[in-house]
Amino acid sequence: MGLDDRDALTVLRDAVDPRRGSDPLIGDFYTRWFAADLSVRDLFPPDMARQRTAFAEAMTWLFGELIAQRAEEPVAFLAQLGRDHRKYGVTQQHYDTMGQALYAALRNRLADQWSDRLAQTARDAVALTTGVMRGAAEAEEGPPFCDGTVIEHVRATRDVSVVRLKLDQPLAYHPGQYVTVQVPQWPRRWRYLSPAIPADPDGYVEFHIRSVPGGMVSTAIVNETRVGDRWRISNPHGGLAVDRDGGDVLMVAGSTGLAPLRTLIMDMTRFGANPRVHLFFGGRFPCDLYDLLTLWQIASTNPWLSVTPVSEYSSDPPWAAEYPDPSPPRGLHVRQTGRLDEVVTRYGNWGDRQILICGGVAMTAATKAALTAKGAPQERIQHDPLTT
């Protein structure tokens, strides 16, 4: 039965599910793969913990979609994965050894349940995974990444940096999309970042980065980035967008989650008429609202945009004096105090708006939950994938 065998697919899904203790299986897979092809190990960072978790979660989702007999999204996901993996230097030979190692790891893990039916389903699932990724990578004609030089690094707050680059060639992306970035301080460790300005024909790009506890790449960017550093940037992902014919818009940004929303707003200024946009921009302290001046400048000439600053605390800590004062001239809404999800829902459920939420996982999840609890339709809420 192969991929039509839902019982076999369920066994495979449970085997790779990290919530069901799949670490030994995933570890075995990578051990077999690296042993079969020594060149593969050089494609990955030294610390494999995050990579193993991401792979397990992706395979769990994939098997879940196949169980539900939904093929369109898994094929699109695998195709994008194949195109994106070109930036690592993955070759066609790597897909062969990957498939062999994954099948062997599944068979070893499920030895006490192994049967002809399970073997056929596992073979078909592995063939689908490697085949779609391989085909999409082969069909892609453009370069897998582009390089650029840091031309400015501004320390906006204690834990937020604004980094501007000049790319060797322009990078095409839609407003609201994100890319993966590799910095010289951490080779082979890619991090998701959203451009904070629309695509520029001359190759300029700007990123806003917040250093998070335990975040090795973000901490290195904020503390160690220097003018002249060379960054590598992959092709874009994501579908965050504003439908200019879809009614008014609510945007909720936590800290550097502002970047993709700022890009969308800047792109909208190209048009003479736009839907109304209300942006809530939040941070822990007032000084964390690092880009209020830019928002004030945009809102002052675009009456369709209104901005409400939000901070959890009403006053700044002593260290704030060491960084630029983000307070804009009068003109924005009065700053509100409280958590973003609480402040936003004080004004109602915003159910008649297109809703875009960007920021940390906890903030995004809390704001989405608060809005839906108030009655906002989930299908009108957009946000990037909730990954740490």
Side-chain angles (χ1 to χ4, degrees), residues 3 6 9 61-71 74 125 128:
L3 296 180
R6 296 188 181 186
L9 287 169
W61 175 83
L62 176 64
F63 281 124
E65 292 293 293
L66 294 176
I67 292 168
Q69 299 294 292
R70 292 191 292 260
L128 174 70

Side-chain angles (χ1 to χ4, degrees), residues 290-306:
Y290 64 94
D291 209 33
L292 282 180
L293 181 59
T294 301
L295 298 175
W296 173 83
Q297 291 169 337
I298 298 173
S300 65
T301 55
N302 293 276
W304 46 266
L305 174 64
S306 56

